[in-house]
């Protein structure tokens, strides 16, 4: 029997069965018909074609509105608790593709309050991390004229009236059932979901008319948005549409890249040597000896290295299939495959790190309401 898995906004454990998770959460598969519909707007992103962004809520309704001339906005976010790693970047890269494809505005929420409440960090820590993480977000090239970054403790004045309205509609018993809180949970955590809901409704409050919202993010965030969607109609807000992705795998073979395993995690600030070392130690689907692998072949299904190509570093479908075939037939060995991945990750990071430096110049302009960032060493 496979071990049961757990997926909440704060904890992901076990072998995730994404089909079952979708059933448990009650989200809808992104199927062939929906991919077909999306292909009308441009080349469908590999993360969609490959079932990485695999599940949604109300995407068809959102597109119906869009086709009738109703512009939506994008919303996603980051809890600043440490350095950005590739797993954080994956959904942001997808958000950037949506922004380019539909030409829509974007709100990015940085929940320094959340990470203060849920982790052993000071507010000073989480605010400084927010600045560092924001550089990674901005480096991806979001349209500076259409993108705003919210930092909760700075923008609370705009969020609070909305959060209050949301919180009045959510009972403690709902929060316990959805998030697994108990009597030892601090009361800030119990309230927090209403803060994460707020940006989804902020443009509606600002415009005084319903502005549709699309939230592409990891499926672990669904509990928050289930609650937000439930209360929206009663508050005169549109229910946000959702697009959910699977978790970005760790190099150790786990289902989710996590900062709790530093050696299996690639940070955006890692240098070439660190990447080489981490990829070198990655869990693979290879055999114990070269002879055996030449004879029996490897198993890309379970291989962390293969997953990296599949999720991010090989966008060409025919090439990814060819790689899987060459692995299964024993044609390519793990060493070679790892060396090539290391090269690709390092090229990506070199380019990203240069853009990250450039981002320092514009991240200030992207602060919602013009707040001032707290930087390291200040
Ligand atoms: N709670 C998220 C995290 O821990 C951060 C977040 C805030 C977020 N708003 C969001 C994520 C909207 C996705 C969509 O990382």
């Amino acid at each position: 029997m496979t071990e049961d898995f757990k997926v909440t906004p704060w904890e992901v454990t076990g072998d995730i069965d994404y089909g079952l998770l979708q059933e448990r959460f009650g989200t809808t598969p992104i199927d062939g018909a929906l991919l077909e519909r999306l292909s009308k707007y441009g080349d469908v992103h590999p993360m969609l074609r490959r079932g990485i962004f695999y599940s949604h809520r109300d995407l068809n309704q959102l597109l119906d509105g869009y086709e009738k001339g109703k512009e939506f906005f994008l919303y996603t976010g980051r809890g600043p608790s440490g350095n950005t790693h590739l797993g954080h970047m994956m959904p942001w890269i997808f958000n950037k593709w949506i922004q380019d494809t539909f030409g829509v505005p974007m709100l990015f929420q940085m929940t320094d309050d959340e990470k203060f409440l849920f982790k052993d960090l000071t507010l000073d820590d989480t605010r400084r991390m927010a600045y560092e993480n924001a550089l990674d977000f901005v480096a991806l090239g979001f349209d500076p004229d259409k993108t705003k970054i919210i930092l909760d403790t700075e923008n609370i004045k705009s969020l609070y009236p909305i959060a209050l309205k949301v919180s009045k509609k959510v009972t403690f018993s709902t929060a316990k059932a959805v998030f697994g809180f108990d009597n030892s949970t601090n009361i800030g955590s119990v309230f927090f979901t209403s803060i994460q809901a707020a940006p989804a409704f902020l443009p509606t409050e600002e415009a005084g008319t319903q502005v549709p919202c699309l939230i592409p993010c990891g499926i672990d965030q669904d509990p928050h948005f289930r609650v937000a969607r439930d209360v929206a109609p009663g508050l005169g807000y549109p229910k946000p549409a959702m697009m959910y992705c699977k978790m970005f795998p760790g190099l150790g073979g786990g289902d989710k890249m996590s900062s709790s395993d530093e050696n299996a995690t690639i940070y955006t600030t890692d240098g070439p040597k660190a990447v080489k070392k981490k990829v070198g130690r990655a869990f693979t689907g290879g055999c114990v000896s070269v002879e055996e692998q030449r004879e029996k072949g490897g198993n890309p299904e379970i291989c962390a290295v293969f997953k990296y190509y599949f999720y991010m570093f090989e966008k060409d479908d025919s090439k990814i299939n060819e790689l899987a075939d060459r692995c299964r037939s024993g044609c390519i060995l793990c060493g070679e495959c790892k060396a090539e991945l290391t090269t690709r990750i390092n090229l990506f990071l070199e380019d990203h790190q240069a853009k990250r430096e450039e981002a320092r110049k514009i991240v200030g302009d992207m602060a919602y309401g013009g707040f001032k960032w707290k930087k390291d060493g200040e």
Side-chain angles (χ1 to χ4, degrees), residues 9-10 75-81 88 92 107-111 114-115 152 192 195-197 199 215-218 220-221 224-225 242:
W10 302 288
Y75 161 41
T76 201
R78 158 86 178 131
S81 58
H88 303 129
W92 305 350
L107 278 180
F108 189 69
Q109 179 183 40
M110 309 212 71
T111 53
E114 173 190 15
K115 295 299 157 179
D152 286 350
F192 172 73
I195 295 281
Q196 183 152 329
I215 313 178
C217 65
D220 59 328
Q221 300 298 312
H224 286 301
F225 297 116
M242 311 297 307

Side-chain angles (χ1 to χ4, degrees), residues 223-252:
H224 286 301
F225 297 116
R226 230 153 50 213
V227 171
R229 284 168 48 88
D230 280 350
V231 304
L235 296 170
Y237 298 138
K239 282 188 180 193
M242 311 297 307
M243 288 177 94
Y244 289 130
C245 64
K246 297 174 182 170
M247 303 290 108
F248 192 75
L251 278 171

Side-chain angles (χ1 to χ4, degrees), residues 83-298:
N83 288 325
T84 309
H85 59 59
L86 294 180
H88 303 129
M89 299 264 282
M90 186 181 75
W92 305 350
I93 290 170
F94 185 75
N95 272 275
K96 155 86 170 116
W97 176 77
I98 300 259
Q99 180 174 65
D100 290 347
T101 303
F102 293 89
V104 288
M106 157 116 225
L107 278 180
F108 189 69
Q109 179 183 40
M110 309 212 71
T111 53
D112 56 341
D113 51 352
E114 173 190 15
K115 295 299 157 179
F116 167 72
L117 288 166
F118 285 86
K119 297 214 168 214
D120 188 16
L121 294 167
T122 67
L123 270 177
D124 210 45
D125 294 335
T126 61
R127 283 182 194 168
R128 280 163 210 280
M129 275 331 302
Y131 175 74
E132 293 299 317
N133 294 169
L135 295 178
D136 290 300
F137 173 79
V138 173
L140 293 175
F142 288 92
D143 182 343
D145 297 325
K146 288 191 168 171
T147 307
K148 287 287 171 222
I149 305 174
I150 292 170
L151 181 59
D152 286 350
T153 58
E154 291 286 344
N155 294 122
I156 191 62
K157 201 171 171 198
S158 305
L159 302 176
Y160 196 50
I162 305 172
L164 278 177
K165 292 183 200 175
V166 170
S167 68
K168 199 172 177 178
K169 299 261 183 210
V170 182
T171 64
F172 185 38
S173 112
T174 297
K176 280 197 285 190
V178 175
F179 298 104
F181 295 149
D182 59 32
N183 285 347
S184 71
T185 306
N186 70 58
I187 60 174
S189 299
V190 179
F191 177 74
F192 172 73
T193 192
S194 42
I195 295 281
Q196 183 152 329
F201 308 133
L202 185 57
T204 291
E205 282 285 349
E206 285 172 336
T209 172
Q210 293 210 349
V211 185
C213 174
L214 172 63
I215 313 178
C217 65
I219 189 152
D220 59 328
Q221 300 298 312
D222 183 65
H224 286 301
F225 297 116
R226 230 153 50 213
V227 171
R229 284 168 48 88
D230 280 350
V231 304
L235 296 170
Y237 298 138
K239 282 188 180 193
M242 311 297 307
M243 288 177 94
Y244 289 130
C245 64
K246 297 174 182 170
M247 303 290 108
F248 192 75
L251 278 171
D255 268 337
K256 184 181 180 240
M257 182 171 263
S258 160
S259 300
S260 52
D261 188 357
E262 294 225 352
N263 291 323
T265 301
I266 296 188
Y267 296 99
T268 57
T269 47
D270 277 349
K273 281 206 186 109
V275 172
K276 184 162 186 250
K277 197 161 124 197
K278 290 175 187 182
V279 175
R281 287 190 195 150
F283 176 82
T284 73
C287 300
V288 284
S289 72
V290 171
E291 292 73 34
E292 200 186 333
Q293 189 155 345
R294 287 280 183 222
E295 195 189 312
K296 296 186 182 152

